[in-house]
Amino acid sequence: MTDTSAMNDCGAARTTPDDLVDVAVVGGGAAGLTLALQLLGQRPGTRIVVLERQGHPVPEATHKVGESTVEIAGYYLREVLGLGNHLQSQQLNKYGLRMFFSKGGNDDITRRVELGHSVRPPGAVGTYQLDRGRLENALGHELLARGVRFLPGTKVESVDLRPDAEHHQLHVRTDDGATRQIHAKWVVDATGRASLLKRRLGLAKKVGHRANAVWFRVGCPIDVDQWSDDPDWHARIEEGRRELSTNHLMGPGYWVWLIRLASGSTSVGIVTDPDLHGFEQLNRFERALEWLDRHEPQCAGIVRRHRDKLQDFRVMKDYAYSCEQVFSADRWCLAGEAGVFLDPLYSPGLDLIAISNSLITDLVTHALDGDDTGERAAIHNQVFLLIAEGWLSIYEKQYALMGNARVMLTKVIWDTAVYWAVPGLLYFHDVLRHLGDRPDMVVGLARFSTASQEVQRFFREWSAVDDEPRDQAPFVRFYDFDFMSRLHIGMTAGLADVDLATQFEANIRFIERLSGQLVATVLEEFEAEPWNPAKREQARRWRADEALMSLVEVHLREQESTPLGDQWIRLRPADEAVGTGESR
């Protein structure tokens, strides 16, 4: 249809060529803008319109939360979308995740156990700290330059899904009050928490994770390296700067983030378990500042010193949710937070956007090329929800662990190894959209999901009983353990299909072994204290747990032939540590 005589699907009102599109993306935030760019890159000539209610350009620093990326999102932005120049020139290279665990009154950061990098991770697995507004403004300009119709200041008043017709119909209103109709073969809801289609179709799904968040930006750098002049503490970092990490201050039932941004601002967030820290303690800036005084006085002191530079203050109560369905062969999809939002810990938001957008792009391009996408839509929908549900188990009932440095450190190491070994490996090798043709990998994912569920339960049970203070290494580096660096760099191997299948199976087996070693090591510690009735009873229950014991068997079968050090679990101070066979 190329002229103004085109009719709408009812054969009534005439429309213009501009109002006939292949894909209408409702929402011009990170999810919608990156999807449009990916669709256009994958299928040049696709007619796309992006409809965004907010005007553009948006504020650089105070636009949206979600400034930190991890490896999947970094690869997506840099390699899939080709935004490497923007990331290098307009954003900050991230120095990995860094955590400081509570010690005493949290008034001396050098006394807190620290987890993080001491050298810069390789550029091939580079990650970034993002001014979200700066990114979205750049994406908007890029889309306009490539001929995509990006219409900020446009409200979508209704969406009439017509799966039996050639086009769906959208009714929109612009800021000047003008109304129009858009006719689109595909509709993608990228409206974020507004969840336009999910609400209309009744697809909302509650989750078992409850947490609240408040955050604000201050218009100046906050550098944790300036919180102490202790030379030994500074000497831990061989290269790089702590301020470029996504810094986490951890405590019982909470964590605080500190994220430096290229615009010169710093993002500060407080995320809490509502059963341990009531929302009313945090939902105003002054209340949040008083909360920081009590729990994180060093951070509070810096914020108070720069309170005149406060740029915004936002809150989000009981933020986690899921969805019954995100992709449909009836030519609609939910992208990003319009479908699922889990938790900001480990920064999974842009990862899920990357995975979701890649599956949507594959589905839509096949459909527009004339393929039958019924089975493809069902498989992609199942893959995405399986990944999201697996991710959710990392957070459910886990915030209480954050006050237990030993358990939480071990959990973070395990969670990170798992992320690099499974979803990271698959995404870097562009496998997720082909899982329908890889039953071997689907079986592997099922095994991985089972092990993950069991280990997350194990962490909760371990922490509930083993809450005694314990001396441990003051600084734990991710690359202290050879398997961590191997899994991290392994994502970028560029393996052929046969080699990838072999490596994936090896990674699944290794995660099962790592899980078994975790259970065996803690079980040994508990059984070494028969005078402790709580530990004795928990050890008895673990011994009777077939799922956990099957993981222990995997570990024991392989330990003799290929020894694996347990220092990643024991985390002793250097003068107590034994050789691990895995340390560098």
Side-chain angles (χ1 to χ4, degrees), residues 510-528:
F510 180 76
I511 293 302
E512 291 173 333
R513 180 185 180 187
L514 208 63
S515 304
Q517 184 186 43
L518 170 66
V519 175
T521 302
V522 177
L523 188 56
E524 176 187 335
E525 292 180 3
F526 275 32
E527 291 178 336

Side-chain angles (χ1 to χ4, degrees), residues 240-266:
R241 293 146 51 197
R242 282 187 177 95
E243 67 167 333
L244 295 180
S245 295
T246 301
N247 286 295
H248 299 63
L249 310 176
M250 312 294 292
Y254 77 84
W255 58 285
V256 175
W257 79 64
L258 297 166
I259 302 174
R260 283 275 287 109
L261 301 172
S263 61
S265 297
T266 301

Side-chain angles (χ1 to χ4, degrees), residues 160-174:
D160 182 9
L161 295 176
R162 300 177 173 184
D164 295 328
E166 186 178 356
H167 295 88
H168 304 304
Q169 187 169 287
L170 298 86
H171 301 267
V172 306
R173 182 182 300 273
T174 57

Side-chain angles (χ1 to χ4, degrees), residues 29-46:
L33 294 171
T34 53
L35 173 62
L37 187 59
Q38 187 175 2
L39 277 168
L40 198 64
Q42 183 68 30
R43 190 176 185 273
T46 302

Side-chain angles (χ1 to χ4, degrees), residues 352-388:
L352 289 174
I353 286 174
I355 294 169
S356 171
N357 281 1
S358 296
L359 294 173
I360 292 171
T361 296
D362 182 70
L363 177 61
V364 171
T365 53
H366 275 86
L368 293 177
D369 287 341
D371 297 337
D372 184 344
T373 55
E375 184 178 0
R376 187 179 299 270
I379 292 172
H380 284 5
N381 183 73
Q382 184 177 7
V383 166
F384 180 80
L385 293 179
L386 177 66
I387 291 171

Side-chain angles (χ1 to χ4, degrees), residues 402-415:
M402 294 176 180
N404 188 322
R406 196 258 178 117
V407 176
M408 192 66 194
L409 267 165
T410 308
K411 171 180 162 56
V412 173
I413 293 168
W414 191 89
D415 288 345

Side-chain angles (χ1 to χ4, degrees), residues 63-78:
H63 179 47
K64 292 178 183 175
V65 76
E67 295 108 331
S68 174
T69 69
V70 283
E71 284 81 4
I72 288 176
Y75 181 85
Y76 177 65
L77 296 172
R78 183 180 62 250

